[in-house]
Amino acid sequence: MASSNNKPRRWSPLTCLGTTKLSSSGLIQLESDAGEVETLVRTNCELRYEGSGPLPKPADTSSGFTEFWTAIDVNLSCHVTTHRIVLVDEKESIAGSIPYPLVHTAEGKGGPSFRSPKASYKIELNTLAWGELLIVFRGGERHPYSQSGKDRDASLTAIHRAQKRKAWEDRERQAAKEAARPSQTITARKVGVDAIMTKNKLLLKENANLAETAFGGNNNTTKHVSKKKGNQEDIDAFMREATPLLKVIQKYTSTIERERKAAASSNNDAAKQHNDTEKLVAMLENMGMTSALSEKQSGSMYHKQLARQIVDFLRHNDKLNKAGGMMTLTDVYCLFNRARGTNMISPDDLLKALDLMKDLGLGMSRRSFQSSGVLVIQDDAFDDEVMAKKLANLASSSMKQKAEPTDDIGGITVIDVSRTLKIPALLANEQLQSAEQMGWLCRDSTIEGVRYFPNLFQAATSC
């Protein structure tokens, strides 16, 4: 996804904004430590600079820009988060952000009038760093004029809500809240073991109250409050406590990392403690995702965003590589939905997202085995020839493990491959059949089942 380093960047409003890092699949890397959450995405937008003359080039990258100024960026996607507005050029893999503290006003402009029945819908941003900027909406990928107005209104509502909430100030609020916690004030007056025990009890109680407040919402609403307003208050309550909850999770994660390092350096680590640690790791890894936008929030970009999220999810902690370079759609569907927690995707959404992966150049694609029709997600770097040689070596090793020539053992089965490579039996069967078709293995079918052995003719040919 990265653009070429030798090609100079265009000099435009987008490249003069604050730089934003993108993941390998092209998704925005959110500031999870600050509790940033993506709330809305709209496509087919333009960014215009309304000032006189060009914007100054960033000082750190001035040598990498072209000499000519372009006042308009087209074909952008507009991402609204709780901390900033991010505009992304997917073709050039360039992203720029406008932090809310630098936005003085955000107003809706344009729309149909008597003189211009189809005037474009815009959001006018009066910024402290770049002057007046315009975000023009062109109606998503299908270009309907009526959709552009809906996109503008939805984006403006999300921006105003984020400005009102001021989530970027949560760090200061959290620091003050942390200093006032009973576990900090009470234990300051105690010493020794009594202080440690009291602090641990208070921390457990505070974390329990934190989870109850976040997931319980606001219980002080009156009966006259509408259902829609009550739901919004529940969401606001959860968002207020999202950062403290994230800090609790990160605390457990850092504790696990210390235990792993200690176990690696110690020769007498307990197996039970290691298993408990691994279970806790798996639980934390699947607690949820930072960005799980619904189809309504993502608009026409929903399936593209979904494809990028799936790729990043499978690359996190090398999930796909640990599974042998491919995973069945059933496994991906279950793991991904469990990680999202909310706004779970449908099987049709998964299939549509997989169809877009190859065109987007994300490094993964869908594959169908001809013999059984099994659908899998496969890493584009996966090589059937390498896997066939690996299985042939595994079969050869099983032959060498025979105790005596008369022993009726040797060869490998589907269960053997599944257990050794830690892949589902369904994929193990497909890999064995593929290696057989390529000439690396031969089978022996008996009433006990099917065993695969190394093809001696193939070995003689390779020698």
Side-chain angles (χ1 to χ4, degrees):
M1 291 296 299
S3 57
S4 175
N5 293 330
N6 298 326
K7 182 181 177 181
R9 300 175 67 185
R10 68 173 182 264
W11 186 16
S12 66
L14 179 64
T15 56
C16 293
L17 298 179
T19 56
T20 301
K21 293 182 179 180
L22 300 176
S23 67
S24 57
S25 67
L27 286 178
I28 301 170
Q29 292 188 357
L30 301 174
E31 297 177 358
S32 57
D33 293 341
E36 184 180 18
V37 178
E38 190 174 5
T39 59
L40 191 78
V41 180
R42 290 296 181 264
T43 58
N44 197 18
C45 302
E46 297 177 5
L47 178 63
R48 299 179 183 178
Y49 174 60
E50 293 296 297
S52 59
L55 286 170
K57 299 178 182 178
D60 54 343
T61 57
S62 58
S63 59
F65 283 88
T66 59
E67 298 180 0
F68 303 99
W69 162 256
T70 303
I72 301 177
D73 292 287
V74 298
N75 296 327
L76 306 178
S77 59
C78 179
H79 303 251
V80 180
T81 76
T82 53
H83 289 58
R84 53 188 171 164
I85 304 168
V86 183
L87 295 141
V88 181
D89 186 339
E90 294 182 6
K91 293 183 179 179
E92 298 292 335
S93 298
I94 301 174
S97 63
I98 307 172
Y100 292 129
L102 298 181
V103 177
H104 182 61
T105 58
E107 299 178 353
K109 299 289 183 181
S113 63
F114 180 76
R115 293 185 176 181
S116 300
K118 287 195 174 184
S120 57
Y121 287 90
K122 316 175 188 70
I123 292 180
E124 183 180 84
L125 300 175
N126 190 348
T127 66
L128 303 178
W130 303 282
E132 289 188 4
L133 298 174
L134 284 181
I135 301 177
V136 183
F137 296 84
R138 296 298 184 185
E141 297 180 354
R142 298 182 180 87
H143 308 284
Y145 180 72
S146 59
Q147 184 62 37
S148 62
K150 296 177 182 178
D151 290 349
R152 193 276 309 271
D153 294 340
S155 301
L156 190 60
T157 301
I159 291 172
H160 285 163
R161 185 180 294 122
Q163 286 181 314
K164 181 180 179 180
R165 183 173 171 270
K166 295 184 179 181
W168 57 90
E169 297 179 356
D170 281 349
R171 285 186 176 179
E172 290 78 6
R173 289 198 295 262
Q174 181 61 24
K177 191 175 180 180
E178 187 74 18
R181 292 177 69 174
S183 59
Q184 301 294 330
T185 57
I186 294 177
T187 55
R189 301 192 297 268
K190 297 185 178 184
V191 294
V193 178
D194 185 25
I196 297 174
M197 295 180 64
T198 304
K199 183 174 182 180
N200 288 338
K201 289 181 181 179
L202 290 174
L203 283 175
L204 290 174
K205 184 177 180 180
E206 289 167 1
N207 290 338
N209 292 335
L210 174 64
E212 183 179 356
T213 303
F215 294 103
N218 187 3
N219 296 324
N220 296 324
T221 55
T222 61
K223 297 181 180 180
H224 300 287
V225 177
S226 64
K227 183 178 181 181
K228 183 176 180 181
K229 185 177 180 181
N231 292 336
Q232 185 61 45
E233 289 179 351
D234 291 342
I235 294 173
D236 291 340
F238 176 77
M239 294 294 287
R240 282 194 301 270
E241 305 298 340
T243 301
L245 281 173
L246 186 61
K247 291 184 180 296
V248 172
I249 295 173
Q250 290 173 345
K251 176 184 176 182
Y252 281 112
T253 305
S254 60
T255 304
I256 290 168
E257 289 299 325
R258 288 197 300 269
E259 290 184 1
R260 277 179 167 174
K261 292 179 181 178
S265 60
S266 176
N267 296 326
N268 299 321
D269 56 316
K272 184 178 182 301
Q273 183 178 3
H274 176 72
N275 293 335
D276 292 341
T277 301
E278 293 301 321
K279 288 180 181 179
L280 183 57
V281 170
M283 180 185 69
L284 291 177
E285 285 180 351
N286 295 287
M287 283 190 73
M289 303 176 67
T290 307
S291 177
L293 296 177
S294 64
E295 187 170 2
K296 182 179 180 180
Q297 293 170 312
S298 299
S300 59
M301 203 179 178
Y302 175 64
H303 292 103
K304 285 186 178 180
Q305 287 284 101
L306 188 59
R308 299 181 193 278
Q309 287 180 358
I310 292 173
V311 170
D312 282 348
F313 173 73
L314 294 178
R315 283 179 178 160
H316 180 63
N317 291 335
D318 288 333
K319 289 185 179 67
L320 194 63
N321 291 334
K322 290 178 181 178
M326 64 173 61
M327 293 178 67
T328 61
L329 296 195
T330 306
D331 292 339
V332 174
Y333 179 77
C334 295
L335 291 173
F336 187 71
N337 268 335
R338 184 171 64 177
R340 283 176 74 95
T342 59
N343 295 332
M344 290 183 285
I345 65 173
S346 67
D348 290 338
D349 290 334
L350 178 61
L351 292 175
K352 291 178 181 178
L354 295 183
D355 291 337
L356 295 173
M357 285 184 179
K358 194 168 185 179
D359 294 336
L360 294 174
L362 302 180
M364 297 181 191
S365 56
R366 184 175 72 168
R367 175 182 177 181
S368 176
F369 288 99
Q370 296 180 356
S371 58
S372 63
V374 175
L375 294 175
V376 298
I377 295 180
Q378 177 178 295
D379 194 330
D380 290 347
F382 180 84
D383 192 345
D384 288 328
E385 189 77 16
V386 174
M387 178 58 73
K389 291 181 181 179
K390 189 174 183 178
L391 294 175
N393 293 333
L394 185 63
S396 300
S397 300
S398 68
M399 300 295 294
K400 296 177 182 178
Q401 294 174 359
K402 294 173 63 175
E404 296 179 3
T406 56
D407 290 343
D408 189 17
I409 60 174
I412 53 176
T413 64
V414 172
I415 301 301
D416 295 333
V417 174
S418 176
R419 186 183 298 111
T420 303
L421 301 183
K422 297 181 180 179
I423 60 176
L426 187 63
L427 286 184
N429 184 48
E430 294 294 340
Q431 299 290 0
L432 287 169
Q433 292 184 11
S434 177
E436 181 190 13
Q437 293 175 0
M438 297 172 68
W440 286 96
L441 297 175
C442 58
R443 71 168 63 194
D444 180 21
S445 300
T446 65
I447 58 174
E448 295 179 351
V450 180
R451 282 187 173 272
Y452 291 87
F453 296 85
N455 188 355
L456 300 181
F457 294 99
Q458 176 72 14
T461 303
S462 60
C463 292

PDB file of all heavy atoms in Angstrom, residues 14 67 73-74 122 136 141 147 149 153 155 158 179 191 235 246 280 327 334 360 412 428 445 448 458:
ATOM      1  N   LEU A  14      -4.096  18.327   0.978  1.00  0.00           N
ATOM      2  CA  LEU A  14      -4.033  17.068   1.718  1.00  0.00           C
ATOM      3  C   LEU A  14      -2.633  16.811   2.267  1.00  0.00           C
ATOM      4  O   LEU A  14      -2.470  16.409   3.424  1.00  0.00           O
ATOM      5  CB  LEU A  14      -4.464  15.909   0.817  1.00  0.00           C
ATOM      6  CG  LEU A  14      -4.423  14.515   1.453  1.00  0.00           C
ATOM      7  CD1 LEU A  14      -5.414  14.418   2.605  1.00  0.00           C
ATOM      8  CD2 LEU A  14      -4.705  13.442   0.409  1.00  0.00           C
ATOM      9  N   GLU A  67       6.948  20.880  -7.545  1.00  0.00           N
ATOM     10  CA  GLU A  67       7.079  22.337  -7.558  1.00  0.00           C
ATOM     11  C   GLU A  67       5.755  23.050  -7.770  1.00  0.00           C
ATOM     12  O   GLU A  67       5.645  24.241  -7.492  1.00  0.00           O
ATOM     13  CB  GLU A  67       8.067  22.754  -8.648  1.00  0.00           C
ATOM     14  CG  GLU A  67       9.478  22.220  -8.434  1.00  0.00           C
ATOM     15  CD  GLU A  67      10.417  22.661  -9.534  1.00  0.00           C
ATOM     16  OE1 GLU A  67       9.947  23.385 -10.452  1.00  0.00           O
ATOM     17  OE2 GLU A  67      11.597  22.294  -9.496  1.00  0.00           O
ATOM     18  N   ASP A  73      -7.863  18.470  -3.923  1.00  0.00           N
ATOM     19  CA  ASP A  73      -7.628  17.026  -3.889  1.00  0.00           C
ATOM     20  C   ASP A  73      -8.952  16.328  -4.138  1.00  0.00           C
ATOM     21  O   ASP A  73      -9.960  16.659  -3.494  1.00  0.00           O
ATOM     22  CB  ASP A  73      -7.061  16.597  -2.531  1.00  0.00           C
ATOM     23  CG  ASP A  73      -5.651  17.109  -2.301  1.00  0.00           C
ATOM     24  OD1 ASP A  73      -4.725  16.579  -2.939  1.00  0.00           O
ATOM     25  OD2 ASP A  73      -5.486  18.032  -1.477  1.00  0.00           O
ATOM     26  N   VAL A  74      -8.968  15.367  -5.049  1.00  0.00           N
ATOM     27  CA  VAL A  74     -10.214  14.685  -5.424  1.00  0.00           C
ATOM     28  C   VAL A  74     -10.120  13.202  -5.080  1.00  0.00           C
ATOM     29  O   VAL A  74      -9.041  12.674  -4.793  1.00  0.00           O
ATOM     30  CB  VAL A  74     -10.513  14.872  -6.925  1.00  0.00           C
ATOM     31  CG1 VAL A  74     -10.718  16.342  -7.251  1.00  0.00           C
ATOM     32  CG2 VAL A  74      -9.386  14.296  -7.783  1.00  0.00           C
ATOM     33  N   LYS A 122     -21.216  21.016   0.894  1.00  0.00           N
ATOM     34  CA  LYS A 122     -19.882  21.211   1.442  1.00  0.00           C
ATOM     35  C   LYS A 122     -19.940  21.373   2.957  1.00  0.00           C
ATOM     36  O   LYS A 122     -20.980  21.692   3.531  1.00  0.00           O
ATOM     37  CB  LYS A 122     -19.211  22.464   0.849  1.00  0.00           C
ATOM     38  CG  LYS A 122     -19.351  22.652  -0.640  1.00  0.00           C
ATOM     39  CD  LYS A 122     -18.762  23.979  -1.080  1.00  0.00           C
ATOM     40  CE  LYS A 122     -19.054  24.270  -2.535  1.00  0.00           C
ATOM     41  NZ  LYS A 122     -20.483  24.577  -2.779  1.00  0.00           N
ATOM     42  N   VAL A 136     -15.907  18.792   0.116  1.00  0.00           N
ATOM     43  CA  VAL A 136     -17.029  18.701  -0.820  1.00  0.00           C
ATOM     44  C   VAL A 136     -17.432  17.238  -0.955  1.00  0.00           C
ATOM     45  O   VAL A 136     -16.576  16.361  -1.137  1.00  0.00           O
ATOM     46  CB  VAL A 136     -16.652  19.277  -2.194  1.00  0.00           C
ATOM     47  CG1 VAL A 136     -17.853  19.242  -3.128  1.00  0.00           C
ATOM     48  CG2 VAL A 136     -16.127  20.701  -2.043  1.00  0.00           C
ATOM     49  N   GLU A 141     -19.732   6.404  -4.074  1.00  0.00           N
ATOM     50  CA  GLU A 141     -19.195   5.795  -5.293  1.00  0.00           C
ATOM     51  C   GLU A 141     -20.217   5.751  -6.421  1.00  0.00           C
ATOM     52  O   GLU A 141     -19.848   5.588  -7.575  1.00  0.00           O
ATOM     53  CB  GLU A 141     -18.700   4.382  -4.974  1.00  0.00           C
ATOM     54  CG  GLU A 141     -17.543   4.373  -3.980  1.00  0.00           C
ATOM     55  CD  GLU A 141     -17.065   2.965  -3.673  1.00  0.00           C
ATOM     56  OE1 GLU A 141     -17.713   2.017  -4.151  1.00  0.00           O
ATOM     57  OE2 GLU A 141     -16.053   2.832  -2.973  1.00  0.00           O
ATOM     58  N   GLN A 147     -27.610  11.677  -2.480  1.00  0.00           N
ATOM     59  CA  GLN A 147     -26.763  11.037  -1.471  1.00  0.00           C
ATOM     60  C   GLN A 147     -25.700  11.988  -0.932  1.00  0.00           C
ATOM     61  O   GLN A 147     -25.293  11.890   0.220  1.00  0.00           O
ATOM     62  CB  GLN A 147     -26.092   9.785  -2.068  1.00  0.00           C
ATOM     63  CG  GLN A 147     -25.252   8.984  -1.087  1.00  0.00           C
ATOM     64  CD  GLN A 147     -26.063   8.437   0.070  1.00  0.00           C
ATOM     65  OE1 GLN A 147     -27.208   8.032  -0.110  1.00  0.00           O
ATOM     66  NE2 GLN A 147     -25.470   8.416   1.257  1.00  0.00           N
ATOM     67  N   GLY A 149     -25.986  15.096  -0.222  1.00  0.00           N
ATOM     68  CA  GLY A 149     -26.551  15.876   0.871  1.00  0.00           C
ATOM     69  C   GLY A 149     -26.630  15.074   2.164  1.00  0.00           C
ATOM     70  O   GLY A 149     -26.340  15.589   3.255  1.00  0.00           O
ATOM     71  N   ASP A 153     -24.621  15.942   5.694  1.00  0.00           N
ATOM     72  CA  ASP A 153     -25.325  16.113   6.960  1.00  0.00           C
ATOM     73  C   ASP A 153     -24.847  15.114   8.016  1.00  0.00           C
ATOM     74  O   ASP A 153     -24.662  15.470   9.192  1.00  0.00           O
ATOM     75  CB  ASP A 153     -26.832  15.964   6.740  1.00  0.00           C
ATOM     76  CG  ASP A 153     -27.401  17.073   5.871  1.00  0.00           C
ATOM     77  OD1 ASP A 153     -26.745  18.123   5.756  1.00  0.00           O
ATOM     78  OD2 ASP A 153     -28.488  16.876   5.290  1.00  0.00           O
ATOM     79  N   SER A 155     -21.903  13.628   8.162  1.00  0.00           N
ATOM     80  CA  SER A 155     -20.538  13.976   8.559  1.00  0.00           C
ATOM     81  C   SER A 155     -20.528  15.190   9.480  1.00  0.00           C
ATOM     82  O   SER A 155     -19.793  15.225  10.478  1.00  0.00           O
ATOM     83  CB  SER A 155     -19.680  14.249   7.312  1.00  0.00           C
ATOM     84  OG  SER A 155     -19.632  13.125   6.465  1.00  0.00           O
ATOM     85  N   ALA A 158     -21.638  14.202  12.942  1.00  0.00           N
ATOM     86  CA  ALA A 158     -20.581  13.469  13.657  1.00  0.00           C
ATOM     87  C   ALA A 158     -19.476  14.413  14.129  1.00  0.00           C
ATOM     88  O   ALA A 158     -18.937  14.255  15.231  1.00  0.00           O
ATOM     89  CB  ALA A 158     -20.005  12.383  12.753  1.00  0.00           C
ATOM     90  N   ALA A 179      -5.742  10.792  40.118  1.00  0.00           N
ATOM     91  CA  ALA A 179      -5.166  11.326  41.359  1.00  0.00           C
ATOM     92  C   ALA A 179      -6.184  11.354  42.492  1.00  0.00           C
ATOM     93  O   ALA A 179      -5.819  11.282  43.675  1.00  0.00           O
ATOM     94  CB  ALA A 179      -4.624  12.729  41.108  1.00  0.00           C
ATOM     95  N   VAL A 191       1.183   2.349  55.386  1.00  0.00           N
ATOM     96  CA  VAL A 191       2.499   1.844  54.994  1.00  0.00           C
ATOM     97  C   VAL A 191       2.500   0.328  55.121  1.00  0.00           C
ATOM     98  O   VAL A 191       1.606  -0.270  55.741  1.00  0.00           O
ATOM     99  CB  VAL A 191       3.619   2.454  55.885  1.00  0.00           C
ATOM    100  CG1 VAL A 191       3.749   3.939  55.655  1.00  0.00           C
ATOM    101  CG2 VAL A 191       3.369   2.144  57.349  1.00  0.00           C
ATOM    102  N   ILE A 235     -24.675   5.527  25.222  1.00  0.00           N
ATOM    103  CA  ILE A 235     -23.476   5.527  24.389  1.00  0.00           C
ATOM    104  C   ILE A 235     -22.456   6.515  24.931  1.00  0.00           C
ATOM    105  O   ILE A 235     -21.255   6.225  25.012  1.00  0.00           O
ATOM    106  CB  ILE A 235     -23.847   5.857  22.928  1.00  0.00           C
ATOM    107  CG1 ILE A 235     -24.714   4.733  22.346  1.00  0.00           C
ATOM    108  CG2 ILE A 235     -22.591   6.061  22.085  1.00  0.00           C
ATOM    109  CD1 ILE A 235     -25.270   5.052  20.975  1.00  0.00           C
ATOM    110  N   LEU A 246      -9.787   0.740  28.663  1.00  0.00           N
ATOM    111  CA  LEU A 246      -8.647   0.373  27.840  1.00  0.00           C
ATOM    112  C   LEU A 246      -7.375   0.302  28.677  1.00  0.00           C
ATOM    113  O   LEU A 246      -6.531  -0.575  28.474  1.00  0.00           O
ATOM    114  CB  LEU A 246      -8.478   1.389  26.700  1.00  0.00           C
ATOM    115  CG  LEU A 246      -7.403   1.073  25.653  1.00  0.00           C
ATOM    116  CD1 LEU A 246      -7.712  -0.231  24.953  1.00  0.00           C
ATOM    117  CD2 LEU A 246      -7.305   2.203  24.644  1.00  0.00           C
ATOM    118  N   LEU A 280      -5.713 -16.340  29.175  1.00  0.00           N
ATOM    119  CA  LEU A 280      -5.991 -14.918  29.386  1.00  0.00           C
ATOM    120  C   LEU A 280      -5.584 -14.104  28.168  1.00  0.00           C
ATOM    121  O   LEU A 280      -6.276 -13.151  27.786  1.00  0.00           O
ATOM    122  CB  LEU A 280      -5.241 -14.429  30.623  1.00  0.00           C
ATOM    123  CG  LEU A 280      -5.472 -12.963  31.034  1.00  0.00           C
ATOM    124  CD1 LEU A 280      -6.951 -12.702  31.254  1.00  0.00           C
ATOM    125  CD2 LEU A 280      -4.675 -12.623  32.278  1.00  0.00           C
ATOM    126  N   MET A 327      -6.876 -20.024   5.997  1.00  0.00           N
ATOM    127  CA  MET A 327      -7.903 -20.336   6.986  1.00  0.00           C
ATOM    128  C   MET A 327      -9.235 -20.498   6.272  1.00  0.00           C
ATOM    129  O   MET A 327      -9.512 -19.813   5.273  1.00  0.00           O
ATOM    130  CB  MET A 327      -8.021 -19.224   8.039  1.00  0.00           C
ATOM    131  CG  MET A 327      -6.806 -19.077   8.933  1.00  0.00           C
ATOM    132  SD  MET A 327      -6.982 -17.712  10.117  1.00  0.00           S
ATOM    133  CE  MET A 327      -8.314 -18.349  11.154  1.00  0.00           C
ATOM    134  N   CYS A 334     -16.100 -16.739  12.376  1.00  0.00           N
ATOM    135  CA  CYS A 334     -16.317 -16.840  13.822  1.00  0.00           C
ATOM    136  C   CYS A 334     -15.327 -15.975  14.597  1.00  0.00           C
ATOM    137  O   CYS A 334     -15.715 -15.238  15.517  1.00  0.00           O
ATOM    138  CB  CYS A 334     -16.199 -18.298  14.260  1.00  0.00           C
ATOM    139  SG  CYS A 334     -17.479 -19.381  13.595  1.00  0.00           S
ATOM    140  N   LEU A 360      -7.894  -4.714  -4.341  1.00  0.00           N
ATOM    141  CA  LEU A 360      -7.294  -3.699  -3.479  1.00  0.00           C
ATOM    142  C   LEU A 360      -5.815  -3.954  -3.218  1.00  0.00           C
ATOM    143  O   LEU A 360      -5.130  -3.087  -2.665  1.00  0.00           O
ATOM    144  CB  LEU A 360      -8.037  -3.651  -2.136  1.00  0.00           C
ATOM    145  CG  LEU A 360      -9.489  -3.175  -2.176  1.00  0.00           C
ATOM    146  CD1 LEU A 360     -10.142  -3.318  -0.810  1.00  0.00           C
ATOM    147  CD2 LEU A 360      -9.575  -1.730  -2.647  1.00  0.00           C
ATOM    148  N   ILE A 412       1.647 -40.916   6.636  1.00  0.00           N
ATOM    149  CA  ILE A 412       0.935 -39.891   7.389  1.00  0.00           C
ATOM    150  C   ILE A 412      -0.530 -39.896   6.997  1.00  0.00           C
ATOM    151  O   ILE A 412      -0.892 -40.221   5.857  1.00  0.00           O
ATOM    152  CB  ILE A 412       1.541 -38.489   7.146  1.00  0.00           C
ATOM    153  CG1 ILE A 412       1.624 -38.181   5.642  1.00  0.00           C
ATOM    154  CG2 ILE A 412       2.912 -38.372   7.803  1.00  0.00           C
ATOM    155  CD1 ILE A 412       2.119 -36.784   5.338  1.00  0.00           C
ATOM    156  N   ALA A 428      -6.114 -29.962   6.052  1.00  0.00           N
ATOM    157  CA  ALA A 428      -5.061 -30.972   5.955  1.00  0.00           C
ATOM    158  C   ALA A 428      -5.357 -31.956   4.830  1.00  0.00           C
ATOM    159  O   ALA A 428      -4.458 -32.347   4.066  1.00  0.00           O
ATOM    160  CB  ALA A 428      -4.929 -31.707   7.285  1.00  0.00           C
ATOM    161  N   SER A 445      -4.815 -46.744   0.197  1.00  0.00           N
ATOM    162  CA  SER A 445      -6.179 -46.808   0.717  1.00  0.00           C
ATOM    163  C   SER A 445      -6.470 -48.215   1.209  1.00  0.00           C
ATOM    164  O   SER A 445      -6.370 -49.188   0.443  1.00  0.00           O
ATOM    165  CB  SER A 445      -7.193 -46.410  -0.364  1.00  0.00           C
ATOM    166  OG  SER A 445      -6.949 -45.095  -0.799  1.00  0.00           O
ATOM    167  N   GLU A 448      -8.627 -49.431   6.904  1.00  0.00           N
ATOM    168  CA  GLU A 448      -8.325 -48.600   8.061  1.00  0.00           C
ATOM    169  C   GLU A 448      -8.344 -47.110   7.732  1.00  0.00           C
ATOM    170  O   GLU A 448      -8.366 -46.271   8.631  1.00  0.00           O
ATOM    171  CB  GLU A 448      -6.951 -48.974   8.631  1.00  0.00           C
ATOM    172  CG  GLU A 448      -6.902 -50.394   9.181  1.00  0.00           C
ATOM    173  CD  GLU A 448      -5.521 -50.731   9.718  1.00  0.00           C
ATOM    174  OE1 GLU A 448      -4.594 -49.914   9.495  1.00  0.00           O
ATOM    175  OE2 GLU A 448      -5.357 -51.780  10.351  1.00  0.00           O
ATOM    176  N   GLN A 458       9.276 -39.555  -7.606  1.00  0.00           N
ATOM    177  CA  GLN A 458       9.528 -38.097  -7.583  1.00  0.00           C
ATOM    178  C   GLN A 458      10.882 -37.822  -6.962  1.00  0.00           C
ATOM    179  O   GLN A 458      11.640 -36.958  -7.420  1.00  0.00           O
ATOM    180  CB  GLN A 458       8.436 -37.384  -6.783  1.00  0.00           C
ATOM    181  CG  GLN A 458       8.635 -35.889  -6.600  1.00  0.00           C
ATOM    182  CD  GLN A 458       8.412 -35.104  -7.866  1.00  0.00           C
ATOM    183  OE1 GLN A 458       7.850 -35.636  -8.834  1.00  0.00           O
ATOM    184  NE2 GLN A 458       8.852 -33.864  -7.904  1.00  0.00           N
TER     185      GLN A 458
END
